[in-house]
Structures are given as structure tokens and as C-alpha cells.
Amino acid sequence: MFRTYQIFTLTLIMVLSNTLAYAETIEDGRFWFSISGQGNLPIENWHWNLDLQPRIRDEGQHIDQLHIIPAIYYQLNAKSSIWIAYDHINAHPAGKESYVENIYWQQFSYKFDPIADLTLSSRSRLEERDSDLGSETAYRFRQMLRVSYPINQSVSLVASNELFLNLNQTDWGPKRGVDQNRAFVGFNWVANQLTTLEMGYMNQFVNTRTIDKENH
């Protein structure tokens, strides 16, 4: 039977396989940050969440996107929750016109029973996307799997992979099929009961109508 560290190593190999170079792609080094807060609502089992996500492109030289994401979620039980959220995006792509995108999304999150020391969780999300670049609504499905392995009581190794699928084609950019894939490997540090810090490497492959992109 596989030992725990062997299972985690195999998981990392599957995630890192997405970082292989794609033919005819433009590559860029980027910095993504996410500041999150959570709290309880005055209704039992309901909670709020707020994310602020600045993203910087061109090897850290220019702002690319700013995401402001308020959400509420209902904790079904210790393992699962359902979410409703709004994502407001100010985007400044290289060499193109700046635009605003508004995303409304619904999500189901689930945490599986541990396997040895490994913790596996799943996130399934449906998005409705509107942009001032066009008049049509784009629909996108996202599926993420995440695994963590504890190093000690405070620090864990984490790895995840998220696939984005466009469900339709619009007049402002999205095309039906694979939109992008995000593979992440890093560390999670639980500083105290209220604060956690996570850092690592993400490989983002973006499938566009012209030339594909790979961001590091």
C-alpha cells in the first residue's frame, strides 16, 4: 500500500503536469494576492465572506485586475456548504481596452473524510458573467479539487487544480469549451484561530480565441 507521503507526491505530480509548456503560448510572471474575511450572520448557520483580490501582470509591473467579492453561505453540516456571491472586476489587460466584468455565482463546497493524513475538498461553481464589452451573458462552470497534508500543527502542504469550462459563446470574448486551468502548490500556515496565511506557485493556462496564454 502507498504511504501518505507517496500519495501526496503523486497528487503533486498530477497538479504539476499542468505546468508543462503549451504550444504557441504567451507567458507572463504575475503576482496574485487575496485578503479574505469571514463572520457569522444573525441567522443560524448563515455566514458572510468578503474577498479583495488585486492581481498584477508583466512580472509585477502593472495592475491587471482587481476583484471585490462579497458572499454569503449556508453551512449545511460539518462537511458541506452552499454559497451565493457577486464578483466585481476592474480589468486592465495589456494592450487592450480596460473593462468591467460582473459575475454572479453559486457554489457547493464539500470536504471528504480524511485518507490517512490527507484532507481532500471539492468546490463546484456556476457563474453568470456580464461585461461592458458586450451584451450577452456568459455561463461558466468551475471545478476545483484541493488536497492538504500536515507538516506540523500549524503548517500544511497544499495542492489544488481547478478547471474552467465555458458553457456558451458570447459577443465579447468567451468561447464554448475549456476556458482555463489553474494548478497550485504551496503552504498553508495557521497563525492563530482567526488568521491563516497561504503562499505558493500557481500555473494558469488560458485558452483564448487567438494565441493561448500561460501565467506563472
Side-chain angles (χ1 to χ4, degrees):
M1 295 179 64
F2 285 115
R3 295 181 179 179
T4 300
Y5 75 88
Q6 291 174 313
I7 298 175
F8 188 81
T9 300
L10 289 175
T11 304
L12 291 185
I13 291 173
M14 289 188 291
V15 170
L16 289 173
S17 66
N18 288 282
T19 68
L20 296 175
Y22 297 86
E24 299 183 2
T25 60
I26 296 176
E27 298 193 40
D28 186 22
R30 302 190 172 199
F31 296 94
W32 285 15
F33 304 91
S34 180
I35 302 171
S36 302
Q38 289 187 343
N40 299 324
L41 292 173
I43 307 175
E44 186 178 4
N45 297 326
W46 282 94
H47 310 273
W48 63 267
N49 187 89
L50 180 63
D51 286 336
L52 178 64
Q53 299 180 3
R55 301 177 181 180
I56 304 173
R57 56 175 168 81
D58 301 329
E59 311 295 338
Q61 298 184 41
H62 301 99
I63 185 70
D64 184 62
Q65 294 182 352
L66 176 62
H67 292 240
I68 302 173
I69 314 172
I72 59 173
Y73 65 97
Y74 180 76
Q75 195 71 43
L76 294 169
N77 49 50
K79 294 182 178 180
S80 59
S81 59
I82 53 175
W83 294 58
I84 300 174
Y86 165 66
D87 185 353
H88 178 80
I89 306 171
N90 282 289
H92 308 276
K96 295 182 180 180
E97 178 185 359
S98 298
Y99 66 91
V100 172
E101 183 176 341
N102 296 295
I103 302 177
Y104 305 89
W105 53 262
Q106 305 81 43
Q107 175 178 297
F108 176 72
S109 297
Y110 187 82
K111 182 181 291 186
F112 296 88
D113 290 329
I115 303 175
D117 292 328
L118 292 177
T119 299
L120 180 65
S121 59
S122 169
R123 186 180 75 188
S124 305
R125 181 181 296 179
L126 179 64
E127 298 178 328
E128 300 84 43
R129 306 167 59 199
D130 294 313
S131 170
D132 57 10
L133 296 177
S135 59
E136 297 178 338
T137 298
Y139 298 91
R140 185 169 66 184
F141 178 74
R142 298 168 52 170
Q143 179 62 53
M144 185 181 78
L145 291 175
R146 173 185 168 98
V147 62
S148 65
Y149 173 75
I151 298 176
N152 54 43
Q153 291 184 343
S154 301
V155 180
S156 299
L157 287 171
V158 293
S160 66
N161 194 80
E162 186 171 20
L163 180 65
F164 295 59
L165 297 174
N166 287 325
L167 304 181
N168 67 328
Q169 187 159 311
T170 70
D171 58 355
W172 56 272
K175 63 177 182 178
R176 189 189 307 272
V178 175
D179 176 60
Q180 60 178 279
N181 191 85
R182 297 179 186 174
F184 175 82
V185 177
F187 295 90
N188 181 283
W189 174 47
V190 180
N192 52 53
Q193 291 184 344
L194 298 177
T195 309
T196 61
L197 174 68
E198 190 164 289
M199 61 177 60
Y201 166 75
M202 178 182 289
N203 177 275
Q204 179 193 32
F205 170 72
V206 183
N207 180 27
T208 72
R209 289 185 174 183
T210 54
I211 190 168
D212 294 332
K213 299 178 182 179
E214 186 178 8
N215 298 320
H216 306 279

